[in-house]
Amino acid sequence: MAMTTLDGTRAGARVTWARVEEGFHVGSRDGEFLGYVDRQRDGQYLACDMFSREVGVFTEITAAMTAVSAATDTAHPTVQP
């Protein structure tokens, strides 16, 4: 299993992506599952959140990963005092 770490959209947050199998990646932040990216037959990347809801379809895997991270931030916004 290959692992990739990308900067998250939250300040200081890092997202870890693991390639489970060819074309299928799962993302997590601080041990929390964020969602996944699945390469489709046409070569595009389907991005889904932690509830398997579609976030979007992208031509680049990095755009799909960023969308999953951003969708999670929207679902769980950081609370500011």
Side-chain angles (χ1 to χ4, degrees):
M1 180 182 332
M3 303 285 277
T4 303
T5 303
L6 302 173
D7 287 330
T9 55
R10 288 189 291 189
R14 297 191 62 83
V15 176
T16 300
W17 287 92
R19 186 183 72 176
V20 177
E21 62 183 49
E22 187 64 35
F24 188 77
H25 299 77
V26 296
S28 63
R29 181 187 293 122
D30 297 327
E32 179 182 350
F33 174 66
L34 299 180
Y36 61 90
V37 173
D38 188 16
R39 188 178 63 224
Q40 304 299 289
R41 289 183 180 190
D42 65 2
Q44 297 214 35
Y45 294 92
L46 171 66
C48 294
D49 69 9
M50 66 179 70
F51 303 108
S52 297
R53 294 181 298 216
E54 184 177 322
V55 175
V57 178
F58 302 86
T59 57
E60 299 292 328
I61 192 169
T62 53
M65 289 174 167
T66 299
V68 169
S69 299
T72 303
D73 288 342
T74 301
H76 301 288
T78 304
V79 177
Q80 298 292 329

